[in-house]
Amino acid sequence: QVQLVESGGGSVQAGGSLRLSCAASGYTVGSSCMGWFRQAPGKERERVVVIYRGGSSTDFDDSVKGRFTISQDNAKNTVDLQMNSLKPEDTAMYYCAAGGSRRSGGYCPRGRAEYRYWGQGTQVTVSS
C-alpha cells in the first residue's frame, strides 16, 4: 500500500526557514505527478507546487514563487520542500500528494482532485 509521510513542520518566526520532507513507500517518486499542497483553516486546499519532467521543472503557486524550492531525491525516494522567508500567511497544514497523471509535454495537474495518494499532513506555523 502506498504511504506518504511528511516531516519537518513546526513553528518559526517570520523570515525563518523550514525544510519539509515527504518519504514515499510503495511508490516511486517520479513515476507519476506529485507535489505539495496546503490548507489553512476556513480555506480550500491549494497547490504549493507540483513537480514534473522528471523533477527538472516545477509549477509553483505565485504566493510562494521565489521563496520555496523543491527537490527530488530518487536514491532516497523522497521529495523535499525548502521554505525560506516564511510569512504568517504561509501558516497551514502541508500535505504531500502523489499519483497524478501526466499531461502532454510532461506537465502535471494543479487540482487536488487529480492526486490519488496523500500524506497525513504536517503543521507549519509562522508567527510575526
Side-chain angles (χ1 to χ4, degrees), residues 44-124:
E44 296 285 332
R45 189 173 299 186
E46 64 180 16
R47 183 191 91 265
V48 177
V49 59
V50 293
I51 186 168
Y52 58 99
R53 293 179 177 173
S56 62
S57 297
T58 57
D59 180 17
F60 283 97
D61 185 78
D62 289 342
S63 65
V64 305
K65 195 173 297 181
R67 298 188 295 119
F68 292 8
T69 58
I70 190 169
S71 59
Q72 176 180 310
D73 190 326
N74 294 331
K76 296 180 179 179
N77 206 37
T78 60
V79 174
D80 289 0
L81 182 69
Q82 179 66 46
M83 307 186 295
N84 300 321
S85 302
L86 284 163
K87 304 174 181 179
E89 50 263 45
D90 294 319
T91 295
M93 185 74 74
Y94 283 70
Y95 298 90
C96 180
S101 297
R102 296 189 184 278
R103 303 194 301 265
S104 178
Y107 293 91
C108 290
R110 294 178 171 182
R112 64 186 185 275
E114 302 297 323
Y115 291 83
R116 180 178 179 182
Y117 309 114
W118 293 86
Q120 81 289 343
T122 184
Q123 179 68 40
V124 172

